[in-house]
Amino acid sequence: MQRRVRQIGRPISKRLWHIELSGYERLPATGPAILCPNHISFLDSAFLMLTVPRNISFVGKAEYMDSWKTKYLFPAMGMIPIDRSGGEKSSAALDAAEEVLRRGELFGIFPEGTRSRNGDLHKGRTGAARLAMKLDCPIFPVGVIGTDKIQPPDAKMPKLFQSCQIKIGRPIRPERYRGRGAEHIAWRSMIDEVMYEIRELTGQAYVNTYAGAKADAEPTVAGRVSSVTDPIPDIAPSMSVVDRELTLVAGS
């Protein structure tokens, strides 16, 4: 259904909104890849589905399955429902995402986990990094700008004839993080780099707390992330400065 909707919806969307695209040539024509956008509007995933040249499956909140308006349409469009309470319920969504990537398709996930209501960029969760390292596929940071003006988080309908931008950043590859100690340290470091690159694409202020109702209560540790232009470091047998920084990032 996504392919058919894209054929019809893409020319319509071009008449209703001005969507400026950049970096799309970086996306691979074949093979698995993960797209990690910032999340500021309901329209973020819809506009990405309409503009990418290949089918893409997105994680969406399980509450969409409770409404007759969306319980059939969204899965037909490629949505993978995720229970945001965590634990095994959330792991089931990542298992489904793994199958998507093993088929050589595109998978999209919002690393912040939910929409930002103040426009800031929040700390990323590590699910995308876990998948990338397990399946050896790249993560593409995606910067979305202006969709919150078209449809703010609490608005029921979008405004017409507005402008937005979608920018595809340079790929972040898992081999940069192999051999950096414990898995959770590598996951955290990789997703921190993704969030850094998203910030560079969007110009958002970065907040080192998780988005959502419990964000203020979740402890976080500030950390420095590398850039995709940095060389892959040599890993010494003893703990290096980089290892110590990554340990601080991961916390306890």
Side-chain angles (χ1 to χ4, degrees), residues 10 13-25 38 44 47-48 50-52 142-147 150 161-169 201-202:
R10 184 180 291 170
S13 67
K14 288 181 178 179
R15 291 181 176 273
L16 297 180
W17 301 284
H18 175 65
I19 308 175
E20 183 181 336
L21 309 178
S22 62
Y24 275 60
E25 72 282 355
N38 59 313
D44 298 335
F47 280 0
L48 268 169
L50 287 173
T51 56
V52 295
V142 181
V144 182
I145 304 170
T147 53
I150 298 175
F161 312 117
Q162 303 292 313
S163 299
C164 66
Q165 300 176 56
I166 303 177
K167 303 178 180 180
I168 308 291
L201 293 169
T202 64

Side-chain angles (χ1 to χ4, degrees), residues 46-228:
F47 280 0
L48 268 169
M49 287 181 182
L50 287 173
T51 56
V52 295
R54 301 167 54 191
N55 280 358
I56 178 171
S57 296
F58 256 98
V59 161
K61 59 184 180 180
E63 290 86 339
Y64 286 134
M65 304 303 291
D66 297 332
S67 171
W68 64 269
K69 299 177 182 178
T70 54
K71 67 182 298 183
Y72 299 110
L73 175 63
F74 282 13
M77 289 289 292
M79 188 196 85
I80 299 172
I82 185 170
D83 189 317
R84 295 182 293 178
S85 61
E88 293 183 2
K89 294 180 179 179
S90 297
S91 296
L94 292 181
D95 291 341
E98 182 178 333
E99 291 302 312
V100 169
L101 292 167
R102 288 192 183 280
R103 293 197 301 264
E105 300 174 9
L106 298 180
F107 171 66
I109 184 171
F110 297 107
E112 294 171 276
T114 188
R115 280 171 280 184
S116 172
R117 295 187 171 271
N118 58 6
D120 292 339
L121 183 68
H122 291 267
K123 185 175 182 178
R125 301 178 186 272
T126 59
R130 297 184 189 196
L131 287 170
M133 296 197 73
K134 182 177 183 179
L135 302 176
D136 197 28
C137 64
I139 294 178
F140 287 84
V142 181
V144 182
I145 304 170
T147 53
D148 56 337
K149 302 297 189 297
I150 298 175
Q151 186 170 0
D154 294 320
K156 294 185 177 180
M157 295 296 293
K159 300 175 183 178
L160 303 180
F161 312 117
Q162 303 292 313
S163 299
C164 66
Q165 300 176 56
I166 303 177
K167 303 178 180 180
I168 308 291
R170 293 170 292 178
I172 296 172
R173 303 187 184 280
E175 56 263 28
R176 287 172 48 78
Y177 293 96
R178 299 198 188 282
R180 290 195 178 189
E183 279 188 328
H184 70 279
I185 295 176
W187 296 336
R188 169 50 54 195
S189 183
M190 186 176 188
I191 205 65
D192 279 352
E193 181 175 348
V194 171
M195 304 314 293
Y196 173 85
E197 292 298 321
I198 293 174
R199 186 187 68 181
E200 292 296 295
L201 293 169
T202 64
Q204 290 172 279
Y206 179 75
V207 179
N208 198 46
T209 56
Y210 293 111
K214 298 182 180 179
D216 294 338
E218 296 191 44
T220 58
V221 179
R224 176 190 177 276
V225 296
S226 57
S227 168
V228 292

